[in-house]
Amino acid sequence: MSQVPVTQADTDQADTTRLSARIAAIAPVGRSYLGHARLLWSTAPLASIAALLLTVLGAAASTAGIILLGKVIGAAVAAIGQQGPTATGPDPTGPGAATAMVWLGWLAVSFLVPPIAGGIVAVLSQHITSVAVARVSALTVEYAAAPHGIGHLEDPDGSRRLQRMVQSIGEWTYLEGIAGTWTVLQTRLSGIGAFAVIAGWHWWAAAVLALGYLITGRAMTAWLLSIFADMAIDPPIDRRRASYLFGVLMKADAAKEIRLFGLPSWMIQTYGRLWQEAMTGVWRRRNATVGPIIASTGAMGVCALIFYAVLGREAWSGAIPSATVTAMVGASIGMQALGMLGDEQVLFSQAMATTQRLRTVRVEAGLPGLEHAPDRPIANGPGAPAPAEIRIQDLHFGYPSRDTPIFTGLDLTVPAGQSIAIVGVNGAGKSTLIKLLCGLYRPDSGSVLVDGRDPSTDPAAQARVAVIFQDFVRYHLSLRDNVALGARTARNTDAVVRTALHDAAADDVLDRLDGDWDVVLSGEYSGGTDLSGGQWQRVALARALAAIEGGSGVLVLDEPTAALDVRAEAQLFDRFLSVTRGMTTVLVSHRLSSVRHADRIVVIEDGRIVEDGSHEVLLERGGRYARMFTLQASRFASAAGRSPESGRPTSQIAEGAVR
C-alpha cells in the first residue's frame, strides 16, 4: 500500500494543531487565576489592594535582603583587607567597617519588613477570606435556585457535582486556600526577584536553575492534584458506595433494621472490600506519577550542579568577588520559590479549582460567572385575587433516564375559576404534569401556558401557580413565616396570614403555640416545637391559600395528604375547594373519593387524557374512572365491614366511608 507524501503544509498544520492544543491547555489555568483575582477584587477591593501592595513590599524586601547580605559580606571582607595581614578583625572606626555597618542596618530593615507586612496581610486576609467565602456560598446557592426548572438538581451527575462543590466550599481547606493567596503570591514574587538577581550575573544560569525548579514543581503539583482529584473532586463509584455504607452504619435511623437482619458484619466486610477496590485504582494512578517525580528530581540535580559548578569556578578564579558569591548562593536558595511550595500551593490550587468549577457551571446555566445575577422582580404585586386560565397543547415530555415518553400529545384547557381533578394509576404522570404546569420542567415539544404565558421561561407566569406537593417543605421557621412565604407581596401580611390559617382550619396550631406566631416550628431549636403530620399539612394549606393574596391564580394540591386516612384527606380537599371557590384549582390524588366534588375530573393514561367530565358523568359512562372508583369503593366497603352485595351502589358506599 503506497504512502501519502507529507507536504510542508501538512507539517505546518500539525504544528499549528499542537500549538493550539497547548494554548487550550494553558487557557483554563489562566482563566482560573483571573477568576480568582476577580473574586477577591469584587468582594473586598480595598483590602485586596492593601494586601497586594504589602505582599509586593514583602517580596521586594526579601529580594533586597539577598543583595544586602552580599553587600555586608563584601564590605566586611574589604574592611578586614584594609587592616593588613596581621590584623585580627576589622577596625570598628575604619571606613570599611562603617560601610559594613550601614549595609548591615539596611539588611536588618529588609529582614524586618516581611514579617511586619505579613502580619498586616494576615489580618486583612481574614477579612478577605470571610467575605470571599460568603460570596462563593451565595453564588452557589444562586446557581442551585436561579434556574426556573429543577432538572439540574435532579440530574444525578449535576446533583453530585453541586454537592461536591458545596462540600469543598465548606471545608477548612477552601478557607486556607483563599487565605493562602498572599503567601503563595509573595513567595512567587520573591522567587522572581531571586531570578533577577542571578540574571544580573549570568542570565543563562538563572534560566537553567529556574528550569530545574519549574520541572520539579510541575511534577510535584501534578502528583498532589491527582491525589486531590481522586479523593475529592471525582471519587470513583466504589469509593462512593463504600462511603455510603460507612454512613449508613453510623446513622441511628438505620440501626434497628441493620441489627435485626444481622447486617453489621456483612456491611463492614463489604465496606472494606469496596474501599480496597477503590483505593487500588488510586494507588495505581499515584504510582504512575512517581516516575516523573524521580526524573524531575534528577533534572533538578543536573541544573543545580551546572549552576554551582560555574559559580564555584568563577569564585575560585577570583572572577567575582565574595559579595557576589554570597548573593548568588542566597538567590539560588530563593529561587526555590519558583518550584513546588508544599501545602500552601496545594490548598491554593484546590481553592482556585473549586472557584473555577463554580464559574463554569454558572456560565452553563446562563448566569454571570462570578457576579451576582440581577434580582428577579416579584412578578405579582398586591391586588384583587384573579383566577388564571391553563392551556396545554400537544404536550410531549419524557425523562432522559426513561426510554418511553410520559406524555405524547396531551391537550387540556382549564377555564379560569374552574376546579379540576387529575387522576390516574401510579406512574401515569400526574405529578410530572404538575411540575410542567409550575415551569419546573420544560416540554420536549408543545406548550404549557398560564394566562397565555410560559411558566418555564416567564417568572410572572410561574408566580401565578401555588402548589402543595406531596413532599411539601417543613420550614424551620416561625409559624408566621411558614404561612407568609406564600404571600410575600401582600399589602397586609399579618391579616393575610391570620385569614389563611383560619381558612385552612389550623387555628388549633396557633392555640398549641399559646398564640405566639414567632415560635420556630422545629424541636431542634431552643424554644421551638414540632407539629404533627396533620398540623403540618394544614400549615402548608394555609401557605397555599395565602398565595392567593400574593397574586397566585392557580392553586394545586399534588397529593399532599397521601399519608392521611381517607376521611381526613377528603375533609381537607373539601375544605380546600370551599375556601378557594371561584379560583382555578387543581387536585391530584390516587383516592378518587377525595376529589369527587371537583367541577371536572380528567383521567390520564398512556400519555394522554382518556376521560374528561364530572364525577357523576364519568360514573354513568362506565369507563376507566368508573372501574377505578368501583374497585376503590369495594375496598372501602370491606374496610368498613360492608359488602358491595348489600344492595347499596358502590358510589354510595365509598362516599359514606369518607363522611
Side-chain angles (χ1 to χ4, degrees), residues 488-513:
R488 291 179 299 143
T489 59
R491 287 195 178 93
N492 190 344
T493 304
D494 287 343
V496 170
V497 167
R498 292 180 183 276
T499 301
L501 196 71
H502 175 73
D503 289 343
D507 290 327
D508 64 311
V509 176
L510 185 60
D511 293 338
R512 176 181 170 179
L513 304 179

Side-chain angles (χ1 to χ4, degrees), residues 598-620:
D599 298 336
R600 180 180 169 197
I601 299 173
V602 296
V603 181
I604 297 179
E605 187 175 296
D606 296 330
R608 296 173 178 268
I609 293 177
V610 294
E611 288 188 354
D612 187 346
S614 67
H615 171 71
E616 292 76 13
V617 169
L618 294 180
L619 285 181
E620 291 178 0

Side-chain angles (χ1 to χ4, degrees), residues 255-274:
K256 299 187 296 294
E257 186 168 320
I258 289 175
R259 283 156 178 76
L260 289 175
F261 283 101
L263 300 179
S265 297
W266 175 84
M267 294 183 73
I268 292 172
Q269 292 173 2
T270 305
Y271 161 75
R273 177 179 56 80
L274 290 173

Side-chain angles (χ1 to χ4, degrees), residues 161-180:
R161 182 168 57 176
L162 177 61
Q163 291 303 317
R164 286 201 304 269
M165 281 195 303
V166 171
Q167 182 180 3
S168 297
I169 293 170
E171 291 179 344
W172 69 269
T173 53
Y174 187 74
L175 300 176
E176 291 297 322
I178 297 292

Side-chain angles (χ1 to χ4, degrees), residues 287-303:
N287 292 336
T289 60
V290 171
I293 291 177
I294 296 175
S296 65
T297 303
M300 177 68 244
V302 171
C303 293

